[in-house]
Tab-separated table of all heavy atoms in Angstrom:
chain	number	residue	atom	x	y	z
C	1	MET	N	30.223	74.390	77.703
C	1	MET	CA	31.595	74.398	77.223
C	1	MET	C	31.820	72.949	76.658
C	1	MET	O	31.288	71.958	77.129
C	1	MET	CB	32.508	74.657	78.313
C	1	MET	CG	33.940	74.179	78.085
C	1	MET	SD	35.166	74.666	79.333
C	1	MET	CE	34.587	76.263	79.751
C	2	PRO	N	32.683	72.881	75.574
C	2	PRO	CA	32.949	71.525	74.940
C	2	PRO	C	33.694	70.701	75.981
C	2	PRO	O	34.717	71.150	76.636
C	2	PRO	CB	33.861	71.922	73.769
C	2	PRO	CG	33.543	73.237	73.463
C	2	PRO	CD	33.252	73.931	74.760
C	3	LEU	N	33.283	69.478	76.166
C	3	LEU	CA	33.881	68.516	77.096
C	3	LEU	C	35.370	68.348	76.722
C	3	LEU	O	36.236	68.165	77.668
C	3	LEU	CB	33.151	67.178	77.079
C	3	LEU	CG	33.417	66.263	78.212
C	3	LEU	CD1	33.212	66.895	79.556
C	3	LEU	CD2	32.569	64.997	78.044
C	4	ALA	N	35.729	68.429	75.495
C	4	ALA	CA	37.102	68.269	75.044
C	4	ALA	C	38.039	69.363	75.547
C	4	ALA	O	39.337	69.284	75.606
C	4	ALA	CB	37.234	68.271	73.569
C	5	ALA	N	37.524	70.515	76.083
C	5	ALA	CA	38.361	71.576	76.591
C	5	ALA	C	38.858	71.247	77.995
C	5	ALA	O	39.813	71.889	78.488
C	5	ALA	CB	37.529	72.909	76.628
C	6	ILE	N	38.227	70.316	78.662
C	6	ILE	CA	38.543	69.994	79.980
C	6	ILE	C	39.882	69.201	80.074
C	6	ILE	O	39.974	68.132	79.427
C	6	ILE	CB	37.415	69.210	80.725
C	6	ILE	CG1	36.150	69.953	80.636
C	6	ILE	CG2	37.800	68.892	82.164
C	6	ILE	CD1	36.134	71.308	81.236
C	7	VAL	N	40.776	69.530	80.960
C	7	VAL	CA	41.992	68.799	81.131
C	7	VAL	C	41.885	68.241	82.543
C	7	VAL	O	41.596	68.905	83.550
C	7	VAL	CB	43.245	69.759	81.113
C	7	VAL	CG1	44.562	69.051	81.391
C	7	VAL	CG2	43.329	70.443	79.817
C	8	ARG	N	42.086	66.875	82.574
C	8	ARG	CA	41.935	66.186	83.965
C	8	ARG	C	43.256	65.591	84.382
C	8	ARG	O	44.025	65.103	83.546
C	8	ARG	CB	40.869	65.154	83.796
C	8	ARG	CG	39.548	65.557	83.543
C	8	ARG	CD	38.531	64.335	83.443
C	8	ARG	NE	37.329	64.769	82.981
C	8	ARG	CZ	36.263	65.091	83.741
C	8	ARG	NH1	36.424	65.109	85.023
C	8	ARG	NH2	35.109	65.480	83.204
C	9	ASP	N	43.491	65.644	85.637
C	9	ASP	CA	44.711	65.035	86.235
C	9	ASP	C	44.335	64.529	87.661
C	9	ASP	O	43.170	64.615	87.918
C	9	ASP	CB	45.927	66.055	86.316
C	9	ASP	CG	45.640	67.309	87.061
C	9	ASP	OD1	44.706	67.310	87.904
C	9	ASP	OD2	46.383	68.229	86.854
C	12	GLY	N	42.250	67.118	89.703
C	12	GLY	CA	40.866	67.332	89.288
C	12	GLY	C	40.775	67.948	87.842
C	12	GLY	O	41.630	67.663	87.059
C	13	ALA	N	39.810	68.680	87.601
C	13	ALA	CA	39.478	69.264	86.307
C	13	ALA	C	40.046	70.693	86.167
C	13	ALA	O	39.925	71.480	87.123
C	13	ALA	CB	38.047	69.151	85.974
C	14	SER	N	40.468	71.047	84.983
C	14	SER	CA	40.900	72.353	84.674
C	14	SER	C	40.792	72.673	83.195
C	14	SER	O	40.473	71.872	82.452
C	14	SER	CB	42.371	72.656	85.225
C	14	SER	OG	43.257	71.702	84.526
C	15	VAL	N	40.964	74.014	82.981
C	15	VAL	CA	40.919	74.428	81.551
C	15	VAL	C	42.023	75.481	81.401
C	15	VAL	O	42.556	75.958	82.379
C	15	VAL	CB	39.558	75.118	81.121
C	15	VAL	CG1	38.420	74.177	81.236
C	15	VAL	CG2	39.288	76.334	81.954
C	16	TYR	N	42.375	75.720	80.077
C	16	TYR	CA	43.410	76.735	79.803
C	16	TYR	C	42.619	77.977	79.326
C	16	TYR	O	41.713	77.868	78.551
C	16	TYR	CB	44.475	76.352	78.794
C	16	TYR	CG	45.532	75.399	79.370
C	16	TYR	CD1	45.429	74.079	79.295
C	16	TYR	CD2	46.557	75.940	80.024
C	16	TYR	CE1	46.424	73.234	79.741
C	16	TYR	CE2	47.557	75.157	80.531
C	16	TYR	CZ	47.488	73.813	80.415
C	16	TYR	OH	48.481	72.975	80.937
C	17	VAL	N	43.035	79.158	79.823
C	17	VAL	CA	42.473	80.387	79.433
C	17	VAL	C	43.551	81.193	78.673
C	17	VAL	O	44.690	81.202	79.140
C	17	VAL	CB	41.940	81.200	80.655
C	17	VAL	CG1	41.475	82.538	80.342
C	17	VAL	CG2	40.915	80.353	81.413
C	18	ALA	N	43.114	81.859	77.634
C	18	ALA	CA	44.047	82.808	76.859
C	18	ALA	C	43.944	84.219	77.505
C	18	ALA	O	42.954	84.846	77.382
C	18	ALA	CB	43.697	82.844	75.395
C	19	VAL	N	45.057	84.554	78.192
C	19	VAL	CA	45.037	85.908	78.905
C	19	VAL	C	45.712	86.862	77.962
C	19	VAL	O	46.876	86.667	77.672
C	19	VAL	CB	45.763	85.735	80.292
C	19	VAL	CG1	45.791	87.070	80.946
C	19	VAL	CG2	45.113	84.704	81.154
C	32	THR	N	48.839	84.786	76.824
C	32	THR	CA	49.550	83.835	77.606
C	32	THR	C	48.495	82.769	78.179
C	32	THR	O	47.423	83.152	78.520
C	32	THR	CB	50.197	84.482	78.843
C	32	THR	OG1	51.107	85.468	78.447
C	32	THR	CG2	50.992	83.448	79.738
C	33	ALA	N	48.922	81.546	77.997
C	33	ALA	CA	48.087	80.455	78.490
C	33	ALA	C	48.157	80.315	80.044
C	33	ALA	O	49.211	80.433	80.610
C	33	ALA	CB	48.467	79.099	77.857
C	34	GLU	N	47.002	80.228	80.748
C	34	GLU	CA	46.878	80.089	82.135
C	34	GLU	C	45.994	78.947	82.489
C	34	GLU	O	44.771	78.915	81.981
C	34	GLU	CB	46.418	81.386	82.685
C	34	GLU	CG	46.359	81.376	84.230
C	34	GLU	CD	45.896	82.745	84.701
C	34	GLU	OE1	46.680	83.708	84.653
C	34	GLU	OE2	44.829	82.924	85.263
C	35	ARG	N	46.454	77.994	83.233
C	35	ARG	CA	45.568	76.878	83.647
C	35	ARG	C	44.737	77.257	84.865
C	35	ARG	O	45.279	77.780	85.820
C	35	ARG	CB	46.392	75.661	83.914
C	35	ARG	CG	45.657	74.377	84.020
C	35	ARG	CD	46.487	73.153	84.024
C	35	ARG	NE	45.820	71.928	84.194
C	35	ARG	CZ	46.242	70.744	84.134
C	35	ARG	NH1	47.597	70.605	83.881
C	35	ARG	NH2	45.563	69.670	84.321
C	36	ARG	N	43.490	77.009	84.763
C	36	ARG	CA	42.536	77.268	85.880
C	36	ARG	C	41.778	76.062	86.329
C	36	ARG	O	41.193	75.365	85.448
C	36	ARG	CB	41.597	78.331	85.453
C	36	ARG	CG	42.180	79.612	84.978
C	36	ARG	CD	41.788	80.808	85.865
C	36	ARG	NE	42.394	82.023	85.215
C	36	ARG	CZ	41.695	82.858	84.637
C	36	ARG	NH1	40.440	82.806	84.446
C	36	ARG	NH2	42.396	84.081	84.210
C	37	ARG	N	41.754	75.779	87.588
C	37	ARG	CA	40.914	74.621	88.094
C	37	ARG	C	39.511	75.024	88.014
C	37	ARG	O	39.112	76.227	88.228
C	37	ARG	CB	41.253	74.421	89.575
C	37	ARG	CG	42.647	73.934	89.797
C	37	ARG	CD	42.763	72.509	89.478
C	37	ARG	NE	44.249	72.122	89.580
C	37	ARG	CZ	44.707	71.180	88.888
C	37	ARG	NH1	44.004	70.480	88.052
C	37	ARG	NH2	45.978	70.887	88.954
C	38	VAL	N	38.583	74.075	87.627
C	38	VAL	CA	37.196	74.409	87.462
C	38	VAL	C	36.427	73.346	88.177
C	38	VAL	O	36.796	72.226	88.347
C	38	VAL	CB	36.785	74.499	85.990
C	38	VAL	CG1	37.404	75.673	85.284
C	38	VAL	CG2	37.176	73.160	85.205
C	39	ALA	N	35.193	73.785	88.643
C	39	ALA	CA	34.227	72.887	89.145
C	39	ALA	C	33.166	72.537	88.086
C	39	ALA	O	32.686	73.494	87.497
C	39	ALA	CB	33.532	73.536	90.360
C	40	LEU	N	32.917	71.281	87.875
C	40	LEU	CA	32.144	70.877	86.756
C	40	LEU	C	30.724	70.475	87.276
C	40	LEU	O	30.492	69.952	88.372
C	40	LEU	CB	32.706	69.666	85.980
C	40	LEU	CG	34.096	69.946	85.377
C	40	LEU	CD1	34.644	68.639	84.683
C	40	LEU	CD2	34.056	71.066	84.427
C	48	VAL	N	29.716	70.334	78.761
C	48	VAL	CA	29.677	70.258	80.267
C	48	VAL	C	29.469	71.650	80.837
C	48	VAL	O	29.930	72.691	80.218
C	48	VAL	CB	31.039	69.667	80.770
C	48	VAL	CG1	32.278	70.524	80.456
C	48	VAL	CG2	30.918	69.381	82.300
C	49	VAL	N	28.743	71.767	81.896
C	49	VAL	CA	28.534	73.004	82.632
C	49	VAL	C	29.685	73.259	83.542
C	49	VAL	O	30.136	72.335	84.312
C	49	VAL	CB	27.185	72.999	83.438
C	49	VAL	CG1	26.993	74.201	84.306
C	49	VAL	CG2	26.034	72.766	82.440
C	50	VAL	N	30.219	74.485	83.563
C	50	VAL	CA	31.281	74.839	84.549
C	50	VAL	C	30.632	75.711	85.600
C	50	VAL	O	30.130	76.770	85.309
C	50	VAL	CB	32.426	75.640	83.764
C	50	VAL	CG1	33.467	76.084	84.836
C	50	VAL	CG2	33.038	74.733	82.763
C	51	ASN	N	30.693	75.174	86.816
C	51	ASN	CA	29.995	75.846	87.927
C	51	ASN	C	30.931	76.750	88.718
C	51	ASN	O	30.487	77.481	89.533
C	51	ASN	CB	29.437	74.766	88.901
C	51	ASN	CG	28.280	74.126	88.366
C	51	ASN	OD1	27.478	74.665	87.603
C	51	ASN	ND2	28.114	72.806	88.723
C	52	GLY	N	32.238	76.785	88.427
C	52	GLY	CA	33.148	77.596	89.159
C	52	GLY	C	34.541	77.540	88.531
C	52	GLY	O	34.920	76.591	87.919
C	53	GLY	N	35.348	78.600	88.881
C	53	GLY	CA	36.680	78.666	88.446
C	53	GLY	C	36.906	79.596	87.280
C	53	GLY	O	38.104	79.927	86.909
C	54	LEU	N	35.944	80.052	86.626
C	54	LEU	CA	36.087	81.053	85.534
C	54	LEU	C	35.278	82.319	85.859
C	54	LEU	O	34.413	82.342	86.604
C	54	LEU	CB	35.523	80.483	84.181
C	54	LEU	CG	36.180	79.198	83.661
C	54	LEU	CD1	35.404	78.673	82.465
C	54	LEU	CD2	37.642	79.546	83.290
C	55	GLN	N	35.768	83.367	85.132
C	55	GLN	CA	35.181	84.734	85.339
C	55	GLN	C	34.476	85.090	84.031
C	55	GLN	O	34.891	84.693	82.960
C	55	GLN	CB	36.225	85.709	85.698
C	55	GLN	CG	36.985	85.456	86.975
C	55	GLN	CD	36.036	85.540	88.244
C	55	GLN	OE1	35.170	86.428	88.316
C	55	GLN	NE2	36.135	84.583	89.115
C	58	ASP	N	36.382	85.454	80.346
C	58	ASP	CA	37.486	84.538	80.172
C	58	ASP	C	37.338	83.872	78.825
C	58	ASP	O	36.280	83.465	78.508
C	58	ASP	CB	37.535	83.444	81.299
C	58	ASP	CG	38.143	83.989	82.580
C	58	ASP	OD1	38.753	85.136	82.598
C	58	ASP	OD2	37.978	83.310	83.616
C	59	ARG	N	38.454	83.716	78.141
C	59	ARG	CA	38.484	83.003	76.862
C	59	ARG	C	39.076	81.690	77.054
C	59	ARG	O	40.377	81.607	77.142
C	59	ARG	CB	39.112	83.795	75.813
C	59	ARG	CG	38.378	85.132	75.536
C	59	ARG	CD	38.743	85.801	74.336
C	59	ARG	NE	37.858	86.901	74.079
C	59	ARG	CZ	37.055	86.999	72.937
C	59	ARG	NH1	37.057	86.054	72.060
C	59	ARG	NH2	36.297	87.948	72.887
C	60	VAL	N	38.365	80.661	77.027
C	60	VAL	CA	38.785	79.249	77.230
C	60	VAL	C	39.344	78.662	75.948
C	60	VAL	O	38.806	78.757	74.896
C	60	VAL	CB	37.662	78.405	77.820
C	60	VAL	CG1	38.103	76.980	77.944
C	60	VAL	CG2	37.110	78.915	79.123
C	61	ILE	N	40.514	78.148	76.050
C	61	ILE	CA	41.071	77.430	74.930
C	61	ILE	C	40.502	76.106	74.800
C	61	ILE	O	40.605	75.206	75.645
C	61	ILE	CB	42.662	77.354	75.076
C	61	ILE	CG1	43.317	78.757	75.225
C	61	ILE	CG2	43.290	76.537	73.921
C	61	ILE	CD1	44.713	78.780	75.655
C	62	VAL	N	39.924	75.811	73.607
C	62	VAL	CA	39.103	74.602	73.421
C	62	VAL	C	39.722	73.797	72.390
C	62	VAL	O	39.365	72.565	72.134
C	62	VAL	CB	37.609	74.833	73.002
C	62	VAL	CG1	36.896	75.621	74.087
C	62	VAL	CG2	37.558	75.659	71.722
C	63	SER	N	40.817	74.157	71.751
C	63	SER	CA	41.554	73.400	70.839
C	63	SER	C	42.990	73.719	70.920
C	63	SER	O	43.326	74.853	70.917
C	63	SER	CB	41.042	73.611	69.351
C	63	SER	OG	41.730	72.875	68.466
C	65	GLN	N	44.890	72.770	73.554
C	65	GLN	CA	45.296	72.859	74.880
C	65	GLN	C	46.191	71.675	75.372
C	65	GLN	O	46.862	71.791	76.276
C	65	GLN	CB	44.032	72.991	75.825
C	65	GLN	CG	43.194	71.736	75.935
C	65	GLN	CD	42.185	71.587	74.831
C	65	GLN	OE1	42.257	72.276	73.759
C	65	GLN	NE2	41.254	70.738	75.063
C	66	THR	N	46.306	70.601	74.553
C	66	THR	CA	47.088	69.522	74.938
C	66	THR	C	48.567	69.767	74.653
C	66	THR	O	49.426	69.040	75.051
C	66	THR	CB	46.662	68.222	74.311
C	66	THR	OG1	46.679	68.375	72.879
C	66	THR	CG2	45.232	67.813	74.715
C	68	ILE	N	50.071	72.865	75.230
C	68	ILE	CA	50.503	74.044	75.825
C	68	ILE	C	50.597	73.757	77.425
C	68	ILE	O	50.096	72.855	77.936
C	68	ILE	CB	49.603	75.228	75.585
C	68	ILE	CG1	48.117	74.963	76.077
C	68	ILE	CG2	49.594	75.642	74.164
C	68	ILE	CD1	47.214	76.099	75.892
C	69	ALA	N	51.252	74.772	78.151
C	69	ALA	CA	51.361	74.682	79.530
C	69	ALA	C	51.260	76.225	80.067
C	69	ALA	O	51.319	77.132	79.218
C	69	ALA	CB	52.756	74.241	79.970
C	70	THR	N	50.997	76.320	81.356
C	70	THR	CA	50.841	77.634	81.945
C	70	THR	C	52.031	78.524	81.695
C	70	THR	O	53.228	77.999	81.725
C	70	THR	CB	50.590	77.554	83.412
C	70	THR	OG1	49.280	76.944	83.594
C	70	THR	CG2	50.548	78.913	84.053
C	82	GLN	N	33.518	83.198	73.615
C	82	GLN	CA	34.207	82.879	74.883
C	82	GLN	C	35.176	81.762	74.781
C	82	GLN	O	35.602	81.298	75.787
C	82	GLN	CB	33.168	82.638	76.002
C	82	GLN	CG	32.375	83.890	76.354
C	82	GLN	CD	31.363	83.567	77.523
C	82	GLN	OE1	30.817	82.487	77.537
C	82	GLN	NE2	31.214	84.533	78.313
C	83	SER	N	35.420	81.254	73.609
C	83	SER	CA	36.327	80.131	73.453
C	83	SER	C	37.250	80.363	72.230
C	83	SER	O	36.904	81.148	71.364
C	83	SER	CB	35.604	78.780	73.233
C	83	SER	OG	34.788	78.859	72.095
C	84	VAL	N	38.400	79.882	72.358
C	84	VAL	CA	39.449	80.072	71.329
C	84	VAL	C	40.197	78.810	70.993
C	84	VAL	O	40.204	77.875	71.779
C	84	VAL	CB	40.496	81.143	71.747
C	84	VAL	CG1	39.809	82.486	72.003
C	84	VAL	CG2	41.319	80.645	72.893
Side-chain angles (χ1 to χ4, degrees):
M1 159 173 324
L3 194 54
I6 306 300
V7 178
R8 296 180 188 269
D9 61 19
S14 58
V15 297
Y16 281 99
V17 175
V19 179
T32 299
E34 182 178 290
R35 191 168 178 174
R36 304 240 182 107
R37 297 280 172 210
V38 291
L40 301 179
V48 63
V49 174
V50 176
N51 289 328
L54 296 174
Q55 299 296 318
D58 282 346
R59 295 196 174 242
V60 176
I61 299 172
V62 298
S63 178
Q65 72 274 18
T66 58
I68 59 175
T70 293
Q82 294 180 326
S83 61
V84 299

